[in-house]
Amino acid sequence: MCLAIPGKILSSEDLGLARSGRVQFGGIVRQVRLDFVPEANPGDYVMVHVGFAISKVDEAEAQRTYQLLAEMGALEGELPPEENQ
Amino acid sequence: MKYLDEYRDARIARALLAEIAQEVRGHWVLMEICGGQTHTIMRYGLDELLPKNIELVHGPGCPVCVTPLETIDKALELASRPDIILVSYGDMLRVPGSTNDLFTIKAKGGDVRVVYSPTEALKIARQNPGRGVVFLAVGFETTAPANAMAVWQAKEEKIHNFSVLVSHVLVPPAIRALMTSSECRVNGFIAPGHVCTVMGYEEYEALVRDFRVPIVVGGFEPVDLLEAVLMLVRQLEKGEARAENQYVRSVNYEGNLPAQRVVKEVFEIVDQKWRGIGTIPASGLRVRDAYGDYDASRIYGLASITAEEPAECISAKVLQGLKKPTDCPAFGMRCTPHNPLGAPMVSSEGACAAYYNYRRDLAVR
Ligand code: SF4
């Protein structure tokens, strides 16, 4: 129920009471409310829950932590697989 | 998909598992709060891949599961009325009320409609000005901003036939209630990443202080959860207790301020009954008086309906991490997703349904 999935903003528009935009999830494009992410613009990734973006994905943080994790995985790849674990 | 697939990378997961195995010494009981996290853990078998001395227990974080029986009964009563359209998230349709569920009422001709977003409920209200449209607004902090926005917008647009039947629950007071219980064995918590996306994690500092328990905000993919476990293990092995954030790509300390603002505008904090668990102080939301015309409980005079839980279901213990679903005598026998006795078997995020889908073999004792 608290599922939120990342999507990329393709366009945004102000509709008076609401701010809304087209957001791409893999191959699917949906209309999403952007009221809670005033700082997010086309090209940015947002986490979407029940039709509303609830955060703008922090790309720099994501990049940094993922890099660290990937290095961890790469290091593990250097070792003989599945030994005395 | 970007920000999704890479967090399912088996190589990284293996490296994290190896790191955890290397660092863990003691026996630690860790609780993931959110049902979405429980679902990932079961689906990828993370509980079985982790070292034996790390035990994962599952928390109360499934809004469908903890919505009180009387709220379901109120929804059933409304859905049976010809002048009302009852609109709900899909998960709620099979949740058993005292006598029935919404799905049955719908099959008998009740106008029950499933939506993905509260904005669709608002649209149904605009299209049906002659009928009352009641949205069953359940959820945690994650969902509260969207539900609040629908109410706020209905008032702004003067849509008078729209209202919400609210059952909103809050996570930090539930953690406090769990920790205060004498039966509690939990050494560390994985806090729910999307609740914290909205609320931030400042609120968790008090829990860390009062109970000297580490809390790590975690995401929902296998790599997220394993990293959160590693962060908890590191704290526990050093005897530390801090609030930390694993899910940095979505969560910051203060949370989403515009989202919090609309929640505060429309809702106020109240004592809340959790199905199976009981009343937890200041753990829920209700519609403020200023928006009383949009509160279904008030306008349809439903306040007096109360109900008792069925005796056989041990969901109270399951939702507090005190028992595993497989400990329930009804599990997989009299209680299945097709014929659920209790709410944790209904939603795919309920612990009982997660075990039924991925660990049914454990029930053969
Ligand atoms: S298996 Fe069914 S009856 Fe048992 S605790 Fe879970 S929901 Fe309740």
Side-chain angles (χ1 to χ4, degrees):
Chain A
M1 176 88 224
C2 284
L3 189 72
I5 50 170
K8 185 181 188 175
I9 302 179
L10 299 179
S11 66
S12 72
E13 52 182 336
D14 274 309
L15 306 165
L17 286 180
R19 180 167 181 249
S20 164
R22 285 165 58 246
V23 174
Q24 183 175 5
F25 306 93
I28 307 164
V29 176
R30 285 285 137 78
Q31 200 69 29
V32 166
R33 292 284 292 267
L34 301 174
D35 312 67
F36 304 139
V37 288
E39 74 282 19
N41 292 308
D44 289 334
Y45 279 80
V46 284
M47 299 299 296
V48 178
H49 171 70
V50 300
F52 285 77
I54 53 172
S55 67
K56 179 181 144 184
V57 175
D58 188 327
E59 299 214 31
E61 277 297 342
Q63 204 63 43
R64 201 178 59 80
T65 43
Y66 184 73
Q67 211 56 49
L68 282 173
L69 289 169
E71 277 163 24
M72 211 169 165
L75 201 67
E76 192 257 356
E78 306 286 310
L79 304 170
E82 307 285 322
E83 246 184 29
N84 27 307
Q85 281 300 329
Chain B
M1 251 161 79
K2 199 173 171 199
Y3 298 121
L4 215 51
D5 297 336
E6 63 265 49
Y7 293 92
R8 295 175 185 169
D9 186 326
R11 234 163 23 111
I12 298 177
R14 264 204 306 277
L16 281 165
L17 281 162
E19 191 76 19
I20 293 167
Q22 201 156 58
E23 302 218 4
V24 70
R25 299 275 176 281
H27 179 103
W28 305 115
V29 178
L30 309 181
M31 175 183 273
E32 84 282 355
I33 293 291
C34 176
Q37 295 168 329
T38 306
H39 182 89
T40 302
I41 287 165
M42 290 296 131
R43 176 169 174 199
Y44 292 92
L46 303 183
D47 54 329
E48 291 175 336
L49 294 170
L50 283 166
K52 291 277 170 289
N53 40 343
I54 295 179
E55 188 187 342
L56 295 179
V57 294
H58 319 301
C62 161
V64 177
C65 305
V66 300
T67 298
L69 194 49
E70 52 254 46
T71 306
I72 307 295
D73 285 349
K74 287 175 186 180
L76 292 171
E77 188 193 293
L78 289 169
S80 309
R81 288 174 49 163
D83 56 328
I84 286 177
I85 303 173
L86 196 283
V87 185
S88 170
Y89 295 120
D91 288 21
M92 298 303 293
L93 260 62
R94 280 201 175 274
V95 179
S98 303
T99 54
N100 234 327
D101 58 31
L102 283 170
F103 195 76
T104 311
I105 303 267
K106 184 176 167 68
K108 285 185 181 157
D111 199 344
V112 178
R113 303 191 193 178
V114 170
V115 293
Y116 156 72
S117 170
T119 57
E120 293 169 64
L122 212 48
K123 195 158 143 197
I124 294 172
R126 282 190 208 101
Q127 290 164 345
N128 296 273
R131 298 173 71 196
V133 172
V134 180
F135 180 60
L136 181 47
V138 301
F140 276 94
E141 290 95 324
T142 318
T143 318
N147 291 349
M149 184 57 106
V151 173
W152 179 82
Q153 208 176 329
K155 188 172 180 186
E156 291 292 312
E157 287 184 38
K158 302 193 174 41
I159 303 175
H160 296 300
N161 62 327
F162 177 80
S163 62
V164 285
L165 180 58
V166 178
S167 171
H168 258 295
V169 282
L170 305 173
V171 168
I175 296 184
R176 183 166 293 275
L178 289 174
M179 286 308 289
T180 311
S181 150
S182 58
E183 291 172 281
C184 182
R185 302 187 298 134
V186 178
N187 303 114
F189 288 95
I190 302 177
H194 293 142
V195 165
C196 296
T197 295
V198 170
M199 296 307 294
Y201 59 102
E202 194 178 346
E203 285 179 283
Y204 296 80
E205 303 276 15
L207 294 165
V208 163
R209 245 195 339 266
D210 294 351
F211 300 104
R212 278 209 52 80
V213 66
I215 300 180
V216 173
V217 180
F220 295 79
E221 298 306 322
V223 164
D224 290 322
L225 286 159
L226 290 173
E227 196 186 11
V229 168
L230 177 60
M231 289 165 82
L232 282 173
V233 165
R234 283 186 173 147
Q235 285 198 47
L236 287 164
E237 293 298 344
K238 283 193 218 134
E240 295 174 351
R242 283 178 287 116
E244 272 189 297
N245 181 15
Q246 178 277 326
Y247 199 35
V248 284
R249 64 189 183 279
S250 182
V251 174
N252 62 47
Y253 195 65
E254 307 77 44
N256 185 321
L257 299 177
Q260 291 172 24
R261 223 171 286 135
V262 67
V263 171
K264 256 208 197 111
E265 165 71 21
V266 172
F267 294 129
E268 61 191 350
I269 294 175
V270 285
D271 296 349
Q272 168 79 22
K273 194 166 171 185
W274 296 52
R275 186 171 192 163
I277 297 177
T279 299
I280 301 176
S283 70
L285 298 174
R286 69 165 206 157
V287 177
R288 282 187 193 277
D289 290 342
Y291 291 85
D293 293 348
Y294 298 88
D295 184 352
S297 291
R298 290 186 228 186
I299 59 182
Y300 296 108
L302 297 165
S304 61
I305 301 182
T306 54
E308 286 306 314
E309 313 275 345
E312 196 176 12
C313 177
I314 62 159
S315 67
K317 301 254 177 217
V318 171
L319 290 168
Q320 295 172 81
L322 299 172
K323 289 256 197 273
K324 295 274 159 76
T326 41
D327 296 329
C328 175
F331 177 84
M333 312 281 288
R334 285 176 304 287
C335 181
T336 65
H338 283 293
N339 199 357
L341 275 185
M345 190 56 99
V346 176
S347 162
S348 64
E349 291 171 16
C352 298
Y355 272 68
Y356 187 87
N357 288 330
Y358 303 115
R359 294 288 186 291
R360 213 172 319 168
D361 46 319
L362 292 180
V364 186
R365 283 166 290 188

